[in-house]
Amino acid sequence: MTHEKKHRIIGIIGVLFLATVLLLNVVLVNNAAKRELARKEAELAALSPDAVSLKGTGKGIDGDVVVQIIADAEHIYDVQILQQNETQGIGSVAVEQLPGEIVKNNSILVDGITGATVTSNAIKTAIREALASGGFDPAVFEVELAAAAPVEKTDETLECDVLVVGAGGAGLTAAVRANQEGADVLVIEKMPMVGGNSNRAEGGMNAAGTKLEEELGLLDPSLGELQSTVENYIADTYRLGHDLANMDLVRTLAENSSEAIDWLGSIGAPFTDVEPTGGCKGRKYLHQPEGGEPVGEYLVTRLSKVIADQGIEVMLNTKATELIVEDGQVVGVKAEDKEHNYTIRANAVVLATGGFGANFELMSSYDPSLANAVTTNHSGATGDGIMMAQAIGADTVDMEQIQLHPTVIQENGLLVSESLRSKGAIIVNTEGKRFVNDLAARDVVSQAELKQPDGYCYIVFDQALVDGLSLAQKFIDRGFAISGATYEELGKNIGLSDEAVKNFVATMEKWNEDVKNGEDTEWGRESLDYDLTTAPFYAIKIAPGIHHTMGGIKIDTEAQVIDTDGNVIPGLFAAGETTGGIHGGNRVGGNAVCDFVVFGRIAGANAAAFAAEGVLAAAA
Ligand code: ADP
């Protein structure tokens, strides 16, 4: 028997053995099953007398990843994931693919899944721990894999009406919309999973003048300045972007936001809650899914379902490298995967490739201080679309406008969503004091944090907040939130000095009193809907991190790409973070999602119309 065949047989037997063991744990143990187990054990023992079943644990993105392996000193025969709560569409890809790769190569040194590093590492750590617990040396399985023979790539030509480049929020939205308009749509995505940065958006989607706001009384004229109207939303977006944005684009964003919410409802992604948006003086635009589910994952999952239901093809691991231009019109892209060089011909192309918040070279060319900063961005956010568009003459705007988010866990770039503050969390420094309106615009809070002693701060919340906002729980599960039964205990647990603990207790009591009286006497925060009185109390250590690149490809209100002479580039549309001009010098929290839905819809509808008729859609 060849080694490979023996290995495969042992693997199959191992799987059966493990399945049997698990079954026996939960189902009645009967004699027949016992006999079967004995038989499998005997078979496994005959092939590998030392193979044993072992468990190990690694830290995933959202709690422990527990694996069960069958191994001996020289072979890993089987890997099963017993427990995990990884992000759907990101970590879940590693959970599906990595165990098989490790068994196939008999090595832990297989490549992790790009974009799912934390989960990949958690699985590997868990396997190492399992091996060690059985007395096996994990180093035996740390063998470098022989470099794969270079693949001779084949040329392939594909055709479609509308090609969408990038499968984040903007790309998925544009694809669904173009398909609804009757176009034959193809989506290409360079990563092994869809979702991009959009999948990481947590807080919500801003929109104004929506049916939900109407139902909740937020459009009542008696609210005066607090009304969630389109005009207030335009003013807030423009003001918070330091009056730098393109007003026509801001207006398009706001005026189409309510319809975008309706459209999401129509495709199975309704919103049930509206909270204050950071920096907007208490005005409520931030639409959230039921129970505070993270909005990005919520929308990406639902858009992906529509994509699957409508039979739209998404080619993963396929990277666009250049735009094809004929007679001044974009007619497709060149793209590649591991085995092919593609020429994809399309009547219209939508660039939805996201921002460049993971391209440190490009960012530091605008601001050298960002070279060593932490980023919340996924590794695919490298600005490819911007560079491809520039290469054919497209103009860019506001490229130097790069946003720092104020609440980022520095060890891993994990973002603590603004929705925690919308739901009542506050920020204190290491002296136990508040130092800013915690719900001011992101740049204001980030700059204030950078001036605090020690260069980091704490976001503080209570159990009532966690109960109403499911995404807060993950910080507790992953060990990033330190807790205390009282304010004093929490202050001590996060390591504040005795003096700072006293300050912290006073800060919390003052905050609760201010909430009761409806006025933040210290820092003028406008939304004071929730006190922080339900024990236990929690604090997460945070500091600013790179979050959003506001600049990008210049577009008009029809999502058409504009060249450096101010003319439309026919056949080329762009939407989402790859574009510039919508957010000016600072993106409002909740506006990235609104941006990708509103402009994704416009780009999709217009690309479909252009592909069919050579003209734009009457209305998106
Ligand atoms: P947006 O919010 O604008 O949709 P995202 O970051 O969510 O931005 O999504 C952008 C997507 O585009 C990501 O999934 C990213 O991997 C993908 N992408 C980036 N560059 C390319 C490229 N050259 N080819 C194909 N896909 C790309």
Side-chain angles (χ1 to χ4, degrees):
M1 195 184 304
T2 63
H3 171 78
E4 203 178 277
K5 204 163 175 191
K6 178 179 163 190
H7 193 152
R8 206 179 313 134
I9 292 171
I10 294 174
I12 293 165
I13 292 169
V15 172
L16 292 172
F17 172 69
L18 179 63
T20 311
V21 172
L22 286 174
L23 204 65
L24 291 179
N25 281 341
V26 287
V27 185
L28 275 180
V29 181
N30 58 42
N31 286 338
K34 268 188 185 161
R35 275 198 302 278
E36 180 63 9
L37 178 62
R39 193 177 68 76
K40 297 285 176 211
E41 272 182 307
E43 272 179 13
L44 188 60
L47 286 165
S48 173
D50 300 329
V52 281
S53 172
L54 303 161
K55 271 192 199 172
T57 303
K59 275 253 166 289
I61 202 92
D62 198 356
D64 287 343
V65 173
V66 182
V67 306
Q68 178 145 11
I69 67 170
I70 296 178
D72 60 23
E74 287 174 5
H75 293 105
I76 298 173
Y77 299 110
D78 185 54
V79 176
Q80 298 290 326
I81 309 280
L82 296 187
Q83 180 193 314
Q84 56 88 19
N85 192 24
E86 299 305 278
T87 313
Q88 195 51 39
I90 305 178
S92 65
V93 178
V95 168
E96 278 158 27
Q97 296 181 5
L98 205 56
E101 283 299 302
I102 288 172
V103 171
K104 193 171 94 194
N105 292 288
N106 199 36
S107 171
I108 309 168
L109 287 196
V110 294
D111 288 342
I113 302 299
T114 315
T117 313
V118 175
T119 309
S120 301
N121 289 343
I123 293 170
K124 291 177 177 188
T125 303
I127 293 174
R128 284 189 190 97
E129 187 183 291
L131 287 164
S133 76
F136 303 134
D137 181 4
V140 171
F141 302 93
E142 309 266 353
V143 277
E144 288 293 349
L145 305 180
V151 181
E152 189 71 23
K153 288 194 185 186
T154 52
D155 291 340
E156 202 166 314
T157 301
L158 305 172
E159 282 182 14
C160 59
D161 295 338
V162 173
L163 174 68
V164 177
V165 185
L172 294 173
T173 303
V176 170
R177 190 76 185 93
N179 174 272
Q180 285 178 334
E181 291 296 310
D184 165 33
V185 181
L186 174 63
V187 184
I188 58 170
E189 165 57 54
K190 72 174 175 180
M191 303 294 278
M193 71 278 290
V194 302
N197 274 346
S198 302
N199 216 7
R200 299 173 173 223
E202 301 223 307
M205 167 172 163
N206 286 333
T210 65
K211 294 193 182 92
L212 183 58
E213 286 166 327
E214 171 102 59
E215 276 163 34
L216 296 172
L218 300 173
L219 301 177
D220 190 329
S222 68
L223 285 174
E225 270 295 285
L226 274 178
Q227 272 185 297
S228 304
T229 58
V230 170
E231 287 308 316
N232 278 342
Y233 180 34
I234 291 171
D236 283 330
T237 298
Y238 191 71
R239 173 179 57 85
L240 293 170
H242 309 315
D243 299 356
L244 266 183
N246 174 327
M247 188 45 119
D248 293 338
L249 294 179
V250 174
R251 187 162 282 284
T252 303
L253 178 87
E255 286 177 348
N256 288 282
S257 63
S258 171
E259 199 183 317
I261 294 272
D262 291 345
W263 181 78
L264 287 172
S266 78
I267 63 154
F271 291 90
T272 56
D273 196 9
V274 191
E275 290 293 339
T277 295
C280 296
K281 303 181 175 171
R283 287 188 277 272
K284 296 186 175 183
Y285 312 118
L286 196 68
H287 289 62
Q288 295 178 333
E290 195 163 11
E293 198 181 327
V295 69
E297 198 179 323
Y298 174 77
L299 291 181
V300 167
T301 310
R302 278 149 188 84
L303 285 164
S304 299
K305 181 174 182 315
V306 182
I307 294 263
D309 290 350
Q310 292 184 357
I312 301 169
E313 190 182 352
V314 181
M315 291 167 60
L316 296 174
N317 298 304
T318 308
K319 179 179 174 176
T321 52
E322 64 184 275
L323 291 157
I324 307 171
V325 183
E326 284 172 10
D327 300 327
Q329 181 168 331
V330 172
V331 294
V333 306
K334 298 262 185 205
E336 61 186 18
D337 65 13
K338 271 192 184 149
E339 285 138 21
H340 307 92
N341 287 318
Y342 294 106
T343 299
I344 308 179
R345 297 194 68 87
N347 293 343
V349 172
V350 178
L351 284 177
T353 42
F356 56 99
N359 186 334
F360 286 90
E361 201 183 324
L362 188 54
M363 285 189 295
S364 49
S365 73
Y366 295 107
D367 180 354
S369 75
L370 298 178
N372 299 312
V374 163
T375 185
T376 64
N377 283 235
H378 84 122
S379 58
T382 44
D384 301 8
I386 300 173
M387 291 181 268
M388 283 189 279
Q390 276 182 310
I392 63 150
D395 204 357
T396 56
V397 285
D398 299 337
M399 287 293 285
E400 67 289 355
Q401 301 296 339
I402 297 167
Q403 179 175 70
L404 292 179
H405 193 290
T407 55
V408 178
I409 299 174
Q410 300 296 296
E411 289 74 29
N412 54 13
L414 200 66
L415 181 84
V416 182
S417 164
E418 213 148 27
S419 57
L420 266 79
R421 282 172 285 146
S422 293
K423 285 273 190 191
I426 61 172
I427 299 176
V428 299
N429 62 16
T430 51
E431 291 171 343
K433 294 177 181 167
R434 289 176 67 222
F435 52 90
V436 68
N437 167 358
D438 343 59
L439 254 185
R442 289 176 172 174
D443 55 338
V444 174
V445 181
S446 292
Q447 289 309 321
E449 284 179 1
L450 291 173
K451 292 186 191 122
Q452 300 311 303
D454 302 317
Y456 62 87
C457 305
Y458 290 95
I459 180 163
V460 180
F461 50 100
D462 71 348
Q463 185 59 42
L465 181 147
V466 179
D467 293 342
L469 193 67
S470 59
L471 65 87
Q473 184 66 41
K474 84 166 178 226
F475 298 103
I476 300 169
D477 294 344
R478 290 191 64 195
F480 293 124
I482 296 168
S483 67
T486 61
Y487 299 138
E488 192 180 355
E489 189 179 300
L490 179 58
K492 282 185 182 152
N493 288 349
I494 57 179
L496 298 185
S497 68
D498 291 350
E499 182 69 28
V501 170
K502 277 192 207 131
N503 292 340
F504 178 58
V505 173
T507 298
M508 297 308 288
E509 284 167 356
K510 179 86 177 76
W511 173 249
N512 291 330
E513 195 187 309
D514 280 359
V515 170
K516 206 158 111 199
N517 298 329
E519 190 192 353
D520 176 7
T521 49
E522 281 190 294
W523 295 99
R525 172 163 160 174
E526 294 88 356
S527 76
L528 293 96
D529 295 341
Y530 310 91
D531 64 20
L532 296 171
T533 53
T534 310
F537 306 103
Y538 302 95
I540 305 172
K541 187 173 165 184
I542 44 94
I546 293 164
H547 188 49
H548 193 94
T549 48
M550 272 77 71
I553 302 169
K554 187 169 186 176
I555 54 164
D556 64 10
T557 55
E558 299 292 351
Q560 303 180 101
V561 174
I562 307 299
D563 71 15
T564 47
D565 294 326
N567 301 315
V568 165
I569 300 179
L572 186 60
F573 300 82
E577 200 177 343
T578 194
T579 67
I582 296 160
H583 309 291
N586 175 61
R587 176 175 67 70
V588 178
N591 269 3
V593 179
C594 185
D595 177 357
F596 80 58
V597 183
V598 166
F599 284 95
R601 291 186 72 226
I602 293 173
N606 278 336
F610 187 86
E613 311 281 350
V615 292
L616 302 185

